[in-house]
Amino acid sequence: MSTLPMVLSRRLRPSPFEKRARENGASLFTLYNKMVMPLTIRSSEEDYQHLLEHVQLWDVACERQVEIIGPDALRLTELITPRDISTLAIGQGKYAPLCDENGGIINDPIILRIAEDRFWLSIADSDVNLWVKGTAYGRGFDVRVFEPDVSPLAIQGPKADDLMAEVVGEHTRDIRFFWFIDEMVAGTPVKIARSGWSGQGGFEVYLQDSTKGDDLWDIFWEAGQKFNVRAGTPNLIERIETGLKSYGSDMTIESNPFESGLERYMDLDKEAEYMSREALQTIAKSGPEKRLVNLIIEGTPLGSMRSVWSVIDDAGDSIGDVTSQAFSPRFNSGIAMAIIKASHAGIGSKVRVDANSETRMATVCDASWSADPE
Ligand code: THG
């Protein structure tokens, strides 16, 4: 892993959970929405094994919220996404790409409906607040757009339900996927959603007062002792196995939802006006030129990814790039996401990966990591 020492100036905003995450072993960090986010506790592999068996607290305060509130809140939220928001209930969330007028992906938030005229975009790493403010001003919409003091703490792993039931109550077992409820925990109001960036199950607790980070952490930490709780982080190995795509790595503003495999999260014929309609309907007809695929890479671990790893065809010509990569204990092989030419993106397609000046055979797999076309 190549790392750099960094000075923690005020531009690198602290998370309310940073102190506890560091006290409990956070050892490697990245910058996300201009906020410090832990990436590793012990090692990627150890954190992964623990996540599959127990329960972890993740400092994901960097998943900032962009609040849209006011009489035009629904119109504005509809305008920025191809997903139908009119059917989103108060207390429910939906995963939805935000797309510009070219169909380019601005971000891939979970959109939460807090009230009839109030939404939170729970964002990945890009400057959504400025783009939405500009859009609202340009249209003369009657809304306020801002970043509220809200910080998610994720509780992930197979024992998350037992821990939440113990701290908040048995009724939390009934929270449906991506829905949320209001609670008081550690004397502070929070929203508790069934969600989180792993396939292991769990919740996200949206803290609404950044001075209460230690208190919120401590109440779950203490109750979690009998469940073998540890600090954790979004885990590279687990999230590639689960097929969770990371904005900034696996998709950017140069990508569109067809290329990125987000077709399920669009309603192109929705009634409301949205700015990417024309562009996306055109791509829907022609099909995308590139596709984000899963790859199994043969051989022993390749180490961490530096700069660009090309994907090449039989003739040795580049057909794309690897965007994320890890070694999977579950499949005992390399696993990756890559953006490659659509002509080579079929399940079972054989390609090669040019990694750290080594060439490896690789196979395109579907989301269940199967290379056998059905
Ligand atoms: N939590 C919160 N905000 C976030 C993330 C999060 N913002 C940025 C980023 N992560 C958003 N990305 C995703 C992507 C996928 C999922 C959650 C957040 C997810 N997907 C399920 C899946 O793929 O199996 C199901 C989605 C569905 O079918 O609706 O959970 O983690 N607060």
Side-chain angles (χ1 to χ4, degrees):
M1 181 74 59
S2 84
T3 60
L4 288 171
M6 257 202 305
V7 173
L8 296 172
S9 71
R10 282 174 58 87
R11 289 188 300 104
L12 281 58
R13 303 183 291 173
S15 147
F17 312 116
E18 187 178 308
K19 182 160 172 279
R20 287 292 186 260
R22 292 176 70 170
E23 285 167 359
N24 292 294
S27 58
L28 184 69
F29 301 81
T30 189
L31 201 62
Y32 192 107
N33 283 324
K34 303 175 182 72
M35 188 173 271
V36 176
M37 170 169 80
L39 276 186
T40 312
I41 309 297
R42 298 182 184 195
S43 69
S44 202
E45 294 74 18
E46 269 187 273
D47 296 351
Y48 165 88
Q49 290 297 348
H50 181 267
L51 172 62
L52 264 51
E53 288 168 39
H54 303 287
V55 59
Q56 299 182 340
L57 306 190
W58 297 2
D59 172 3
V60 287
C62 62
E63 287 160 356
R64 302 314 289 166
Q65 311 305 300
V66 174
E67 178 161 332
I68 302 177
I69 185 168
D72 288 326
L74 178 60
R75 262 173 87 198
L76 176 56
T77 308
E78 292 274 32
L79 185 63
I80 59 179
T81 177
R83 190 142 196 205
D84 186 3
I85 301 303
S86 68
T87 56
L88 186 63
I90 297 168
Q92 188 186 12
K94 267 190 189 186
Y95 180 49
L98 306 184
C99 292
D100 69 10
E101 66 282 7
N102 304 311
I105 304 175
I106 295 281
N107 200 286
D108 68 328
I110 298 168
I111 302 181
L112 294 85
R113 191 166 205 167
I114 306 298
E116 192 61 30
D117 288 338
R118 186 177 177 212
F119 297 86
W120 284 354
L121 315 176
S122 182
I123 62 170
D125 184 20
S126 76
D127 293 322
V128 172
N129 187 34
L130 300 178
W131 179 69
V132 178
K133 277 172 78 75
T135 301
Y137 179 78
R139 287 296 185 109
F141 280 169
D142 186 3
V143 288
R144 200 156 73 87
V145 179
F146 65 102
E147 187 189 289
D149 178 7
V150 174
S151 304
L153 176 69
I155 311 215
Q156 297 288 296
K159 298 179 184 170
D161 272 59
D162 290 340
L163 176 55
M164 188 59 77
E166 177 119 347
V167 173
V168 181
E170 288 294 324
H171 61 287
T172 56
R173 295 187 192 275
D174 301 327
I175 301 174
R176 284 178 286 161
F177 189 69
F178 275 177
W179 288 69
F180 58 92
I181 60 171
D182 283 287
E183 290 286 343
M184 290 292 290
V185 179
T188 193
V190 297
K191 297 186 192 299
I192 301 176
R194 185 177 293 282
S195 59
W197 214 56
S198 85
Q200 307 311 310
F203 301 90
E204 291 178 307
V205 183
Y206 290 79
L207 177 68
Q208 295 167 76
D209 176 351
S210 53
T211 67
K212 296 285 175 25
D214 291 355
D215 298 341
L216 188 68
W217 180 287
D218 291 346
I219 200 162
F220 284 104
W221 189 258
E222 276 150 35
Q225 290 311 308
K226 68 177 189 205
F227 302 115
N228 192 15
V229 69
R230 280 191 198 165
T233 72
N235 183 272
L236 179 68
I237 305 169
E238 198 280 343
R239 74 98 177 161
I240 298 177
E241 286 184 352
T242 298
L244 295 167
K245 298 143 194 166
S246 182
Y247 188 81
S249 294
D250 307 313
M251 52 193 158
T252 69
I253 197 166
E254 305 295 328
S255 320
N256 63 65
F258 295 98
E259 169 184 326
S260 303
L262 300 180
E263 294 94 334
R264 283 197 291 143
Y265 309 110
M266 297 194 285
D267 304 288
L268 293 182
D269 296 325
K270 76 176 185 177
E271 216 169 280
E273 181 193 359
Y274 64 101
M275 70 173 83
S276 54
R277 186 190 296 267
E278 232 177 282
L280 291 176
Q281 284 178 342
T282 303
I283 303 167
K285 283 198 201 97
S286 60
E289 290 163 17
K290 295 179 279 184
R291 280 193 188 276
L292 180 65
V293 296
N294 298 315
L295 293 180
I296 288 275
I297 304 177
E298 291 176 15
T300 51
L302 280 159
S304 62
M305 202 170 96
R306 269 208 87 195
S307 63
V308 179
W309 289 5
S310 287
V311 180
I312 54 181
D313 64 11
D314 286 341
D317 294 328
S318 174
I319 53 167
D321 294 320
V322 174
T323 58
S324 296
Q325 179 278 147
F327 191 81
S328 164
R330 196 168 119 206
F331 302 114
N332 192 34
S333 81
I335 56 173
M337 293 188 192
I339 299 176
I340 64 173
K341 280 186 185 165
S343 53
H344 291 69
I347 307 303
S349 165
K350 300 280 181 195
V351 296
R352 280 179 287 166
V353 170
D354 209 348
N356 301 341
S357 352
E358 219 189 302
T359 301
R360 292 286 185 87
M361 295 303 296
T363 308
V364 175
C365 297
D366 71 12
S368 62
W369 296 93
S370 161
D372 301 323
E374 284 169 36

